[in-house]
DNA sequence: CTTTACATTTTTGAATCCAATAACCTATAT
DNA sequence: ATATAGGTTATTGGATTCAAAAATGTAAAG
């Protein structure tokens, strides 16, 4: 896969993710080729790969549109991620933490604690916690010793909003966001405790539940109901290499 | 995707699965195009898709070889499948069985019982049980109400031998095969019992353990150590549409 | 008004050619 | 013997063209 080929895939992914290509929108090789300033050939390759990746759906006998994903599909994918991340935590508890893994996780916890230590948060804090959250999750997944789990999580993460990479920030409900995120931070503590104590089943259950922190907890804590202007979706997935 | 395009992908998959294209073998567009009697274009598409599917690995800066898969990778994938199939069983127990799902599962059980009722089995019986096993598993997965689970299982199944679709038959150890398969059939009964009694956690645990029936149980029961001529690998996956 | 048939347009798929790049080989210098 | 440089070959990637197939539009019939 050449540089240009990869750039085309990345660009199309980005356009899908940031809404330049809207859900349900019909994609035509020729217009995309014009838009990206290349011939149809790399577009055709990219469309097939993105379709296989799950970002596109076929239209009629041939051709693609940006895949429309229902709320139910997102929830289903979040559940699958919970189960897989739970498995990763269990495996890590079983094999035990190296010094360096332990340090990384501990650092996430400490920085999370510090973030919440003043009793309130702003948008920047949400983003910071989001990064810590990603590091915490990825450290567990990357060190659990089972590459098939990581693959399965990555493939499942192609459902937008199901992954740990997405956050929504509702600036009109920061007090409730504070509550939600401090709870999630405590969950991290509990997972860590289970890990260092080699409690695989406990780690699995905790981590499985923790997958609900983004969507379900947002609902439960009444986050994300602010007007359009106060809700920001940040996406850092799918556009990475 | 045209008929020819799909045929090319299927053919290449088949050749990978049945060993015509050996693990580690370098694949060249031109020679494959000649071999399949098409131009390079559909081969190029197919290679990229099969690579994304996990069947091929990249070689150097470009080009592909048939992916070499270690025993550990297979084991890891079996574990992931166990966790995902366990999840499917739990979900099905939670939503409950329709009449028709119940009938299908019961039928598998009855036919399994009948198969083992004479106290010994032959190769044909192994194949028959294999089909029943597949139907049992697929019925649970297809009716668990979470499409993301099914997707994750299908994607994980691209690791050869990790899926429920593969069986090995060691004709030199049919008494031990009998033992292994009757045990697996009892496991089916227990899963069914958990399902109809809405016992989600039980169903999940049973189904998770059951994923080990093919590989680990074969080891434990000393199956598959016969000489080359007495071990047949049957594959019904990856060549289906 | 609906359905069917036919013609036209649009879009994708395949083939072919050319370009780019990586891999390999050989010769030379250290 | 090893490393480097240069040349050649092999292979993939992109562009273009032509073909095939699907989608769309229009007219006619019921």
């Amino acid at each position: 896969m050449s540089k240009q080929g990869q750039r085309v895939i990345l660009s199309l992914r980005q356009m899908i993710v940031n809404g330049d290509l809207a859900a349900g929108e019909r994609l035509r090789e020729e217009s995309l080729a014009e838009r990206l300033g290349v011939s149809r050939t790399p577009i055709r390759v990219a469309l097939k790969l993105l379709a296989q990746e799950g970002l596109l759906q076929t239209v009629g006998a041939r051709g693609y549109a940006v895949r429309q994903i229902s709320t139910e599909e997102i929830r289903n994918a979040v559940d699958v991620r919970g189960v897989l991340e739970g498995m990763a935590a269990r495996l890590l508890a079983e094999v035990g933490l190296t010094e360096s893994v332990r340090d990384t996780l501990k650092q996430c916890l400490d920085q999370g604690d510090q973030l919440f230590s003043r009793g309130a948060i702003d948008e920047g804090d949400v983003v910071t916690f989001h990064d810590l959250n990603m590091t915490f999750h990825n450290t567990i997944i990357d060190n659990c010793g089972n590459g098939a789990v990581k693959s399965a999580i990555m493939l499942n993460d192609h459902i937008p909003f199901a992954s740990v990479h997405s956050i929504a920030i509702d600036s009109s409900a920061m007090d409730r966001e504070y509550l939600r995120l401090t709870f999630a931070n405590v969950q991290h503590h509990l997972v860590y405790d289970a890990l260092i104590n080699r409690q695989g089943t406990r780690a699995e259950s905790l981590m499985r539940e923790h997958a609900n922190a983004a969507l379900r907890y947002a609902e439960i804590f009444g986050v994300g109901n602010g007007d359009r202007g106060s809700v920001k979706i940040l996406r850092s997935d799918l556009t990475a290499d």
Side-chain angles (χ1 to χ4, degrees), chain A:
Chain A
M1 180 72 71
S2 70
K3 289 272 176 65
Q4 178 184 317
Q6 293 179 344
R7 240 179 0 249
V8 167
I9 296 189
L10 276 188
S11 295
L12 290 177
R13 263 210 213 97
Q14 194 154 39
M15 287 155 77
I16 291 166
V17 165
N18 67 25
D20 280 348
L21 297 173
E25 181 174 344
R26 183 79 163 76
L27 303 184
R28 287 181 181 80
E29 297 178 357
E30 181 123 22
S31 52
L32 290 176
E34 275 184 41
R35 198 159 163 184
L36 296 184
V38 296
S39 79
R40 279 172 51 216
T41 310
I43 299 291
R44 294 171 53 202
V45 172
L47 289 181
K48 286 179 167 51
L49 289 171
L50 291 171
Q52 188 172 278
E53 201 172 304
L55 289 185
L56 306 178
Q57 59 202 17
T58 53
V59 179
R62 55 191 190 173
Y64 301 102
V66 181
R67 182 169 161 204
Q68 289 166 309
I69 295 172
S70 66
T71 302
E72 188 184 353
E73 280 178 284
I74 296 174
R75 286 176 192 277
N76 286 343
V78 169
D79 287 344
V80 167
R81 177 159 65 80
V83 165
L84 291 171
E85 284 190 336
M87 179 183 178
R90 169 169 58 82
L91 293 175
L92 184 57
E94 289 171 0
V95 303
L97 309 192
T98 62
E99 202 68 37
S100 118
V101 170
R102 194 180 187 132
D103 288 346
T104 303
L105 296 177
K106 190 66 169 63
Q107 204 170 14
C108 291
L109 298 179
D110 292 343
Q111 286 176 11
D113 291 342
Q114 187 170 15
L115 198 59
F116 299 120
S117 61
R118 61 185 179 96
I121 56 171
D122 58 30
E123 283 192 15
D125 296 326
V126 178
V127 174
T128 302
F129 184 71
H130 169 64
D131 289 338
L132 294 176
N133 191 46
M134 275 173 62
T135 302
F136 192 83
H137 284 243
N138 288 337
T139 301
I140 292 173
I141 293 162
D142 287 340
N143 292 281
C144 72
N146 183 327
V149 175
K150 179 168 182 176
S151 294
I153 290 170
M154 282 172 62
L155 293 170
N156 187 64
D157 277 351
H158 287 140
I159 305 289
F161 303 120
S163 84
V164 79
H165 302 283
S166 308
I167 58 169
I169 306 178
D170 182 350
S171 57
S172 66
M174 295 310 289
D175 54 338
R176 275 161 291 167
E177 282 286 44
Y178 176 80
L179 197 57
R180 177 170 73 100
L181 296 187
T182 51
F183 185 80
N185 191 48
V186 172
Q187 282 178 317
H188 283 176
H189 274 278
L190 300 182
V191 169
Y192 178 75
D193 187 60
L195 291 175
I196 59 176
N197 284 289
R198 312 293 292 259
Q199 301 173 316
T201 305
R202 180 169 167 236
E204 182 173 29
S205 299
L206 287 166
M207 198 69 185
R208 192 185 282 194
E209 173 60 30
H210 178 55
N212 294 306
L215 292 183
R216 276 191 215 268
Y217 292 5
E219 276 174 52
I220 291 166
F221 288 98
V223 170
N225 298 322
D227 59 44
R228 190 97 54 97
S230 63
V231 178
K232 273 190 225 165
I233 309 281
L234 298 186
R235 297 291 306 270
S236 53
D237 58 343
L238 299 183
T239 55
D241 184 21

